[in-house]
Amino acid sequence: FAVYAGELHDRDVRAAEDLMRAIEPDPVMRRWAAEATVDITYQAIIAWLEHGDPARDDEFFARLLEVNRVAAKPPRASRRPR
């Protein structure tokens, strides 16, 4: 199972990285954001399955998307440290 889970994680990180190419030009930050959003997503889903209310799945999904957008979107250039 560990091999399968690792392959699935790697596939999802690559897909996230591809989606972020248009919004994050820095390859180091793009890789970090891809890895972070995939890991956040996995953990958030597990926590929701354990503690969430199925009647509120749409609310959970909207919040998860917002969290991932914040992690994936680079700050304005004026705020980026040099």
Side-chain angles (χ1 to χ4, degrees):
F1 179 77
V3 172
Y4 171 74
E7 290 170 354
L8 183 65
H9 181 266
D10 291 346
R11 183 203 68 189
D12 290 347
V13 169
R14 283 192 308 275
E17 213 171 349
D18 287 343
L19 289 171
M20 292 178 191
R21 273 186 212 290
I23 60 171
E24 178 53 77
D26 182 326
V28 172
M29 294 305 291
R30 185 173 54 243
R31 176 63 186 195
W32 166 82
E35 186 103 20
T37 57
V38 168
D39 292 347
I40 289 166
T41 299
Y42 286 178
Q43 291 303 312
I45 290 169
I46 290 168
W48 186 252
L49 291 172
E50 291 176 355
H51 307 289
D53 176 356
R56 298 177 70 185
D57 284 351
D58 290 342
E59 180 183 355
F60 160 74
F61 182 68
R63 286 184 180 218
L64 179 59
L65 284 178
E66 187 62 28
V67 167
N68 283 335
R69 285 182 182 126
V70 170
K73 186 177 179 183
R76 289 179 288 193
S78 62
R79 294 174 47 202
R80 185 175 273 176
R82 299 194 183 258

